[in-house]
Amino acid sequence: MRINIAIDGPSGAGKSTISDILAKRLDYVHLDTGAMYRAVAYLGLKKGLKMDEEDRVVDIIQNEMDLVLNPDGTIICNGEDITHKIRTNEISMAASDVSKLKNVRKALVAMQQKIASKKGYIVDGRDICEVVLPDAEVKVFLTASAEDRAKRRLLQNQEKGIAGDYETILADILKRDYQDSHRENSPLHKTDDATAIDSSNLSIEEVVDIIMKLVNEKI
Ligand code: DC
């Protein structure tokens, strides 16, 4: 039996890494919904929009965005490979700004629900347990302390050759945490039916094992 797995949590908690490993293990597909908000921000900025021009941004999503999320993790927007271009600090903040807009969320949530309706998806984001997949068979809220997340992000950036210092990354994480959990539309929070996992003192493998146990109870 194929199920859906919903994973919510703040940025840098390890959602993407964990989801990728689970996808390989289960032969499922990882749907990175944050990448969708990032792609919208990227395209909006490229077209000279401000991130509060809600109607124009929605128009772009519906009429001017051909987004392909490949199973190998590459992201193609209107024929352009934006896999790495959407990971900059500028796009992170713009994605957080654009994700506040009600109708932008509505448009992207509809796309996400359509994709995951086939089952066999690991969907990670902020509103997956409550809004996108309220019927997901496994629901996880993955957290880690802001300091641990900043340390991990710094290491990841260094590996990718992206410049940046710990203090700036931590400040950016705290700012986005605040913005993502205090916005009016679908703020980040743990739902009662989600299993909370704090990954601060756990290895990636330990987190994967906990989620695999939850999955095995369902399938
Ligand atoms: O997970 P991420 O850092 O790539 O997400 C980028 C931004 O998009 C983040 O600030 C929160 C927002 N987001 C959201 O509001 N809902 C989602 N399901 C996924 C991401």
Side-chain angles (χ1 to χ4, degrees):
M1 183 180 96
R2 291 170 86 76
I3 62 167
N4 278 333
I5 303 166
I7 305 184
D8 284 326
S11 63
K15 299 189 300 291
S16 267
T17 309
I18 303 287
S19 300
D20 280 339
I21 296 173
L22 288 169
K24 279 212 186 80
R25 236 180 245 187
L26 291 160
D27 197 20
Y28 277 20
V29 178
H30 170 203
L31 176 61
D32 175 358
T33 62
M36 297 171 81
Y37 288 92
R38 287 171 182 271
V40 170
Y42 177 83
L43 197 55
L45 289 180
K46 197 174 165 183
K47 289 180 181 282
L49 298 193
K50 295 210 178 66
M51 292 298 110
D52 58 359
E53 292 181 69
E54 183 160 13
D55 291 347
R56 270 296 285 141
V57 178
V58 172
D59 186 49
I60 284 184
I61 296 172
Q62 284 168 347
N63 301 309
E64 298 172 41
M65 184 172 81
D66 176 23
L67 186 63
V68 182
L69 301 160
N70 288 314
D72 68 359
T74 53
I75 298 159
I76 314 293
C77 183
N78 295 348
E80 179 186 356
D81 185 342
I82 58 165
T83 315
H84 301 296
K85 293 178 186 167
I86 57 170
R87 300 291 162 194
T88 63
N89 270 351
E90 186 197 7
I91 299 296
S92 297
M93 273 324 292
S96 181
D97 288 339
V98 92
S99 69
K100 287 190 234 166
L101 307 175
K102 191 172 164 201
N103 291 319
V104 167
R105 302 199 67 83
K106 216 170 146 186
L108 291 187
V109 166
M111 286 164 74
Q112 294 154 11
Q113 287 175 331
K114 194 168 169 212
I115 296 171
S117 65
K118 294 179 219 99
K119 296 273 181 184
Y121 282 81
I122 296 140
V123 186
D124 85 286
R126 306 292 190 287
D127 58 341
I128 312 303
C129 295
E130 186 160 72
V131 181
V132 180
L133 300 176
D135 296 330
E137 287 80 356
V138 172
K139 294 184 178 184
V140 170
F141 190 78
L142 188 63
T143 51
S145 72
E147 289 74 18
D148 278 302
R149 288 184 281 135
K151 274 186 227 155
R152 288 182 201 162
R153 182 56 44 91
L154 182 66
L155 275 176
Q156 275 174 1
N157 285 357
Q158 284 168 346
E159 278 164 20
K160 289 181 195 158
I162 301 171
D165 62 283
Y166 173 79
E167 294 304 332
T168 311
I169 293 173
L170 180 61
D172 178 61
I173 282 181
L174 290 172
K175 189 172 167 197
R176 279 210 292 147
D177 276 2
Y178 185 86
Q179 191 157 296
D180 293 342
S181 46
H182 287 81
R183 67 183 178 214
E184 195 183 331
N185 301 304
S186 307
L188 170 71
H189 72 112
K190 180 193 160 315
T191 54
D192 290 342
D193 55 0
T195 302
I197 303 175
D198 184 339
S199 69
S200 302
N201 297 309
L202 296 175
S203 67
I204 290 171
E205 271 312 308
E206 285 171 321
V207 176
V208 170
D209 283 349
I210 294 172
I211 301 177
M212 279 304 290
K213 269 201 196 111
L214 297 172
V215 171
N216 286 328
E217 281 165 16
K218 296 283 176 184
I219 57 180

